[in-house]
Amino acid sequence: MKLEYPYTLEPQETGGFVVQFLDIEEAFTEGATPEECAFNAAEVLTGILEQRLEDGMDIPLPSKRGRRPVASPSAAVQTAILMRMTRLAEGKTLAELARALGTSWPAVQRLEKPNANPTLKQLERAAHALGKRLVLEFEGS
């Protein structure tokens, strides 16, 4: 699953653009150019989703892109979101995943924290315990 959140670019009378995400009401920013808007969009999206994770709030799935530009949160935030979404989709609690991995509840909880920096080995083991495969991808800019 790709976490690419669509946004709108509204030209301003004084120049520049306002960016508003379709799926996250509180996520908006601005920029002088579409390129600056894209950079700022990724930054604000990362910050807001990171805060939602820390607060235990729901993370909405991105809506269909259509012809709109999209932004993705940082890799660390994406990892935490995807771990949480996958665990919940598989109907597992943190305690159940901890037992499956033979580790502690706090260790598994850290997999869903954006600043925990899990290793690829930890992520692979967690994915396997959830009946999934970890797949990495590099994309062009």
Side-chain angles (χ1 to χ4, degrees):
M1 169 188 307
K2 286 187 176 186
L3 295 178
E4 295 179 321
Y5 289 84
Y7 60 87
T8 59
L9 279 176
E10 294 293 327
Q12 299 301 293
E13 288 181 18
T14 57
F17 302 88
V18 169
V19 173
Q20 177 67 57
F21 282 90
L22 304 179
D23 305 302
I24 305 169
E25 183 178 301
E26 71 271 27
F28 59 91
T29 187
E30 62 184 6
T33 65
E35 294 79 17
E36 184 179 329
C37 287
F39 177 84
N40 292 345
E43 291 291 309
V44 76
L45 180 65
T46 294
I48 287 175
L49 292 178
E50 183 174 358
Q51 190 62 53
R52 281 183 170 221
L53 281 166
E54 289 176 11
D55 293 344
M57 295 174 64
D58 287 338
I59 305 291
L61 288 173
S63 59
K64 298 277 188 224
R65 172 184 189 162
R67 294 182 176 261
R68 293 183 177 95
V70 294
S72 295
S74 70
V77 169
Q78 285 188 61
T79 299
I81 291 170
L82 291 172
M83 281 300 306
R84 180 198 281 180
M85 287 181 170
T86 303
R87 179 182 58 77
L88 293 173
E90 294 300 314
K92 301 272 188 195
T93 66
L94 288 169
E96 289 169 332
L97 184 54
R99 278 192 295 279
L101 292 171
T103 191
S104 67
W105 181 86
V108 170
Q109 186 183 36
R110 281 191 296 275
L111 294 174
E112 297 180 12
K113 300 285 184 191
N115 297 319
N117 296 319
T119 66
L120 286 175
K121 185 175 182 175
Q122 290 170 317
L123 293 173
E124 284 179 317
R125 288 186 64 228
H128 180 73
L130 293 168
K132 304 291 181 187
R133 246 178 1 110
L134 177 66
V135 176
L136 296 176
E137 182 177 312
F138 289 99
E139 291 184 349
S141 49

